[in-house]
Amino acid sequence: MTASEVVRQARRPAVTGSGRGGTTNRREAAGTLRLLPALGAALGGGLLTFLAYPGHDLWPMAPVGVAALVLAARGQSLPRAALVGFVFGAGLVTPLLSWTGVYLGPIASVPLSAAESGYYLLAGVVIAAVHRLPRGGAGGTVLRVLGTAGAWVAAEALQSRWPFGGFGWTRLVFSQADAPTAHLAALGGAPLVSFAVAAAGALLAEAVAAAVRPSPAPRRASGSVAAAAAAIGVVAVGLAVPTPVGAQEGTLDVAAVQGDVPQAGLEFNAQRRAVLDNHARGSARLADEVASGQRQSPDLVVWPENASDIDPFRAGNTDAAALIDAAALEVDAPLLLGTLVHRADGLIGNTSLLWEPGVGPTDSYVKRHPVPFAEYIPYRSFFRLITDTVDLVGTDFAAGTEPGVVPVAGTTLGVLICFEVVEDGLVADVVDGAGPGASDGARLLVVQTNNATFGYTDESVQQLAMSRVRAVETGRAVVHVSTVGVSSMIMPDGTATQRTPLFEPALLQADLPLRSSETVATWLRRHGVPLEGLLAGSGLVIGAAGLVRGARPGNGHRAQRGPATPQVRPARSEQGGGGTSSLGTRRMAGGPLRRGRRGARRCDAGAGYRSAAW
């Protein structure tokens, strides 16, 4: 073969793989899953992540589940990545929120699960976008990990705010109460914990991708081990974060009464007087045990949300008011109880009422974020067209306007009612008090809740985990008390020192530390550092960079027009020159001649071709 024939042969592309332009091989080289396997991996990832939450308590499954989503979404088109994200969300949210349908059925659980799954669309899209960036060695890995973790925080930030004030129950942070990562809440609050878990999952995905990447075995092994070690390091770093528990302003002896209800379910409050009597009996038992020396006299007694759904302020309910006053007198301590107060405008306030023995009510807090479709019905006339179950909520609850800062027994309580413990802003408000720099913020947190409407499900332990995370985040002890359980006394490091069973009357009592110092998370927030915005913004910016790169010509993404370039093998000369002619040059895929060292392969896009994947 002459030199001119060698050059002509080298210019002819040799196609490898199957499908249009070798698409299959490009997909395999990039590690991209086909759609059905990707959806299966995403669904499996969601289910694995579900196992991390209370009820199963396998917290390491959270980063493993995130890794499955990353592997499923990487390399996908944006519509496919959105679908992958939604399927992941469905795998996580549907079992995690199944308690919403225990008594109402699918009319409640299906729409909520679908809506909550939708937030993971954003995560899937951004994850796919960040994986369009060049690999770039360690730098590329860092960008992909930061982009993935930031995207997760962005999705959770949206979930926690919109619509109707948001519902962030499924955030990754609330699966980590027993994990080392929970300590990171003291540094950056709930968003930093979710960021760390997602980052660990992204690193695990990098470890898997490195292990299967077509490269020499030693290089594959070193890359995979390094990424896996980094994932472990991200999880373990929380162990180095101090979470002090010592008292700074003395202690407060708090007793909590879990009175139980006659019957679980939506009709628990049909026997409102029985529920009130149960809690009064619990206080009487407490008084008896104090009198007999079995217990110390408490500084404060706490009843849960809905302990008295009989409004003690109404003229016809003087017997309820008398019973509450008697309970406070019997234990000779202020009583903080959950009740419903009817307003002049016809609405109801879900209220935490402070009752001093022999004095009566002296302070109160009204729940600031009533739960949509449970405590009020937004757009009632519209949703009634869909189902008449909206009328189970006969009277809408009104939102309070002031933070739950309640002075009592020489200190300050931060009061949160039920689902309010989910919301970062409401927790921050009670710690801040009158505002940044104020000295009247909470020294102790109280979470009053009612779990009777969710039966024997994991809802109660999921909510308890949230209070444990808030203890670490704020550096405050927490009294978590429920009508039916699970109730607990929680130390500032998140340790639950006491815990009650479900649907049994119980008493809790502990001498809890009063703390006034700021955690790093509190300090950053009070000084205007928008940590959540910075973390979420990093993911969105990196994702946007991936989208921009994906739209550039010659990058191998579908955004570029023209037929796909087949992979090319330069023809070898008769002299075995590796595709090099006697002129010492090589030409590929119609591109211009390029000089280079032996074995270097390069071609330019030309004549409607994409760059070949080497």
Side-chain angles (χ1 to χ4, degrees), residues 549-557 559-561 565 603-605 609-612:
R549 181 183 183 273
R552 289 176 180 169
N555 58 17
H557 289 288
Q560 183 182 353
R561 296 180 180 178
T565 301
C603 72
D604 293 341
Y609 289 108
R610 288 193 183 104
S611 299

mmCIF file of all heavy atoms in Angstrom, residues 549-557 559-561 565 603-605 609-612:
data_model
loop_
_atom_site.group_PDB
_atom_site.id
_atom_site.type_symbol
_atom_site.label_atom_id
_atom_site.label_comp_id
_atom_site.label_asym_id
_atom_site.label_seq_id
_atom_site.Cartn_x
_atom_site.Cartn_y
_atom_site.Cartn_z
ATOM 1 N N ARG A 549 -22.653 24.481 29.342
ATOM 2 C CA ARG A 549 -21.694 23.636 28.618
ATOM 3 C C ARG A 549 -22.417 22.652 27.723
ATOM 4 O O ARG A 549 -21.998 22.372 26.602
ATOM 5 C CB ARG A 549 -20.814 22.868 29.588
ATOM 6 C CG ARG A 549 -19.784 22.004 28.858
ATOM 7 C CD ARG A 549 -18.942 21.187 29.819
ATOM 8 N NE ARG A 549 -17.938 20.435 29.099
ATOM 9 C CZ ARG A 549 -18.119 19.226 28.570
ATOM 10 N NH1 ARG A 549 -19.290 18.640 28.686
ATOM 11 N NH2 ARG A 549 -17.149 18.609 27.919
ATOM 12 N N GLY A 550 -23.575 22.139 28.205
ATOM 13 C CA GLY A 550 -24.322 21.179 27.406
ATOM 14 C C GLY A 550 -24.881 21.770 26.136
ATOM 15 O O GLY A 550 -25.201 21.045 25.201
ATOM 16 N N ALA A 551 -25.011 23.094 26.088
ATOM 17 C CA ALA A 551 -25.563 23.740 24.898
ATOM 18 C C ALA A 551 -24.497 24.162 23.908
ATOM 19 O O ALA A 551 -24.815 24.643 22.824
ATOM 20 C CB ALA A 551 -26.384 24.965 25.317
ATOM 21 N N ARG A 552 -23.223 24.023 24.251
ATOM 22 C CA ARG A 552 -22.150 24.458 23.357
ATOM 23 C C ARG A 552 -21.893 23.422 22.271
ATOM 24 O O ARG A 552 -21.945 22.218 22.523
ATOM 25 C CB ARG A 552 -20.863 24.678 24.152
ATOM 26 C CG ARG A 552 -20.929 25.911 25.054
ATOM 27 C CD ARG A 552 -19.665 26.016 25.869
ATOM 28 N NE ARG A 552 -19.704 27.182 26.740
ATOM 29 C CZ ARG A 552 -18.836 27.407 27.704
ATOM 30 N NH1 ARG A 552 -17.859 26.547 27.922
ATOM 31 N NH2 ARG A 552 -18.930 28.483 28.444
ATOM 32 N N PRO A 553 -21.581 23.882 21.066
ATOM 33 C CA PRO A 553 -21.247 22.942 19.991
ATOM 34 C C PRO A 553 -19.980 22.164 20.314
ATOM 35 O O PRO A 553 -19.065 22.676 20.948
ATOM 36 C CB PRO A 553 -21.049 23.850 18.768
ATOM 37 C CG PRO A 553 -21.766 25.123 19.106
ATOM 38 C CD PRO A 553 -21.640 25.275 20.579
ATOM 39 N N GLY A 554 -19.987 20.913 19.880
ATOM 40 C CA GLY A 554 -18.774 20.123 19.979
ATOM 41 C C GLY A 554 -18.568 19.471 21.313
ATOM 42 O O GLY A 554 -17.510 18.940 21.573
ATOM 43 N N ASN A 555 -19.588 19.478 22.204
ATOM 44 C CA ASN A 555 -19.373 18.907 23.524
ATOM 45 C C ASN A 555 -19.951 17.513 23.677
ATOM 46 O O ASN A 555 -19.902 16.943 24.748
ATOM 47 C CB ASN A 555 -19.951 19.820 24.607
ATOM 48 C CG ASN A 555 -21.436 20.073 24.408
ATOM 49 O OD1 ASN A 555 -22.092 19.348 23.672
ATOM 50 N ND2 ASN A 555 -21.947 21.097 25.054
ATOM 51 N N GLY A 556 -20.572 17.019 22.621
ATOM 52 C CA GLY A 556 -21.075 15.662 22.689
ATOM 53 C C GLY A 556 -22.439 15.519 23.297
ATOM 54 O O GLY A 556 -22.897 14.432 23.532
ATOM 55 N N HIS A 557 -23.161 16.638 23.591
ATOM 56 C CA HIS A 557 -24.483 16.552 24.184
ATOM 57 C C HIS A 557 -25.548 16.731 23.118
ATOM 58 O O HIS A 557 -25.316 17.295 22.058
ATOM 59 C CB HIS A 557 -24.642 17.596 25.295
ATOM 60 C CG HIS A 557 -23.830 17.258 26.491
ATOM 61 N ND1 HIS A 557 -24.149 16.232 27.336
ATOM 62 C CD2 HIS A 557 -22.678 17.813 26.969
ATOM 63 C CE1 HIS A 557 -23.244 16.155 28.303
ATOM 64 N NE2 HIS A 557 -22.352 17.103 28.097
ATOM 65 N N ALA A 559 -27.863 18.723 22.810
ATOM 66 C CA ALA A 559 -28.269 20.080 22.455
ATOM 67 C C ALA A 559 -27.683 20.506 21.121
ATOM 68 O O ALA A 559 -28.180 21.378 20.449
ATOM 69 C CB ALA A 559 -27.848 21.057 23.541
ATOM 70 N N GLN A 560 -26.591 19.858 20.683
ATOM 71 C CA GLN A 560 -25.962 20.222 19.420
ATOM 72 C C GLN A 560 -26.644 19.503 18.269
ATOM 73 O O GLN A 560 -27.014 18.345 18.371
ATOM 74 C CB GLN A 560 -24.483 19.824 19.453
ATOM 75 C CG GLN A 560 -23.757 20.242 18.188
ATOM 76 C CD GLN A 560 -22.326 19.796 18.230
ATOM 77 O OE1 GLN A 560 -21.877 19.306 19.249
ATOM 78 N NE2 GLN A 560 -21.622 19.946 17.148
ATOM 79 N N ARG A 561 -26.826 20.209 17.203
ATOM 80 C CA ARG A 561 -27.473 19.610 16.046
ATOM 81 C C ARG A 561 -26.473 18.834 15.212
ATOM 82 O O ARG A 561 -25.267 19.028 15.303
ATOM 83 C CB ARG A 561 -28.125 20.686 15.191
ATOM 84 C CG ARG A 561 -29.259 21.404 15.934
ATOM 85 C CD ARG A 561 -29.872 22.449 15.056
ATOM 86 N NE ARG A 561 -30.954 23.138 15.740
ATOM 87 C CZ ARG A 561 -31.643 24.128 15.219
ATOM 88 N NH1 ARG A 561 -31.364 24.556 13.985
ATOM 89 N NH2 ARG A 561 -32.613 24.697 15.910
ATOM 90 N N THR A 565 -21.209 11.658 15.659
ATOM 91 C CA THR A 565 -19.959 11.219 15.062
ATOM 92 C C THR A 565 -19.683 9.783 15.424
ATOM 93 O O THR A 565 -19.689 9.427 16.594
ATOM 94 C CB THR A 565 -18.790 12.068 15.591
ATOM 95 O OG1 THR A 565 -19.042 13.418 15.263
ATOM 96 C CG2 THR A 565 -17.479 11.622 14.963
ATOM 97 N N CYS A 603 -9.134 14.512 16.939
ATOM 98 C CA CYS A 603 -9.769 14.915 15.696
ATOM 99 C C CYS A 603 -10.663 16.096 15.968
ATOM 100 O O CYS A 603 -11.120 16.304 17.073
ATOM 101 C CB CYS A 603 -10.563 13.770 15.081
ATOM 102 S SG CYS A 603 -12.060 13.370 15.972
ATOM 103 N N ASP A 604 -10.884 16.879 14.952
ATOM 104 C CA ASP A 604 -11.765 18.040 15.076
ATOM 105 C C ASP A 604 -13.088 17.724 14.408
ATOM 106 O O ASP A 604 -13.154 16.981 13.436
ATOM 107 C CB ASP A 604 -11.131 19.265 14.390
ATOM 108 C CG ASP A 604 -9.894 19.713 15.126
ATOM 109 O OD1 ASP A 604 -9.738 19.335 16.301
ATOM 110 O OD2 ASP A 604 -9.094 20.429 14.507
ATOM 111 N N ALA A 605 -14.140 18.336 14.937
ATOM 112 C CA ALA A 605 -15.451 18.144 14.326
ATOM 113 C C ALA A 605 -15.463 18.806 12.962
ATOM 114 O O ALA A 605 -14.929 19.887 12.772
ATOM 115 C CB ALA A 605 -16.546 18.749 15.208
ATOM 116 N N TYR A 609 -20.093 16.502 11.758
ATOM 117 C CA TYR A 609 -19.843 15.476 12.764
ATOM 118 C C TYR A 609 -19.691 16.097 14.140
ATOM 119 O O TYR A 609 -19.220 17.223 14.290
ATOM 120 C CB TYR A 609 -18.556 14.709 12.454
ATOM 121 C CG TYR A 609 -18.663 13.795 11.257
ATOM 122 C CD1 TYR A 609 -18.032 14.092 10.062
ATOM 123 C CD2 TYR A 609 -19.413 12.624 11.355
ATOM 124 C CE1 TYR A 609 -18.133 13.246 8.974
ATOM 125 C CE2 TYR A 609 -19.506 11.780 10.274
ATOM 126 C CZ TYR A 609 -18.871 12.089 9.088
ATOM 127 O OH TYR A 609 -18.980 11.257 8.033
ATOM 128 N N ARG A 610 -20.061 15.338 15.189
ATOM 129 C CA ARG A 610 -19.638 15.682 16.536
ATOM 130 C C ARG A 610 -18.229 15.143 16.739
ATOM 131 O O ARG A 610 -17.794 14.235 16.056
ATOM 132 C CB ARG A 610 -20.559 15.043 17.595
ATOM 133 C CG ARG A 610 -21.935 15.669 17.686
ATOM 134 C CD ARG A 610 -22.589 15.157 18.968
ATOM 135 N NE ARG A 610 -23.938 15.644 19.109
ATOM 136 C CZ ARG A 610 -25.028 14.925 18.886
ATOM 137 N NH1 ARG A 610 -24.902 13.690 18.469
ATOM 138 N NH2 ARG A 610 -26.221 15.441 19.061
ATOM 139 N N SER A 611 -17.557 15.651 17.779
ATOM 140 C CA SER A 611 -16.234 15.126 18.107
ATOM 141 C C SER A 611 -16.357 13.665 18.483
ATOM 142 O O SER A 611 -17.267 13.273 19.197
ATOM 143 C CB SER A 611 -15.633 15.902 19.277
ATOM 144 O OG SER A 611 -15.496 17.256 18.937
ATOM 145 N N ALA A 612 -15.452 12.863 18.029
ATOM 146 C CA ALA A 612 -15.502 11.446 18.352
ATOM 147 C C ALA A 612 -15.175 11.231 19.816
ATOM 148 O O ALA A 612 -14.398 11.945 20.393
ATOM 149 C CB ALA A 612 -14.496 10.682 17.482
#
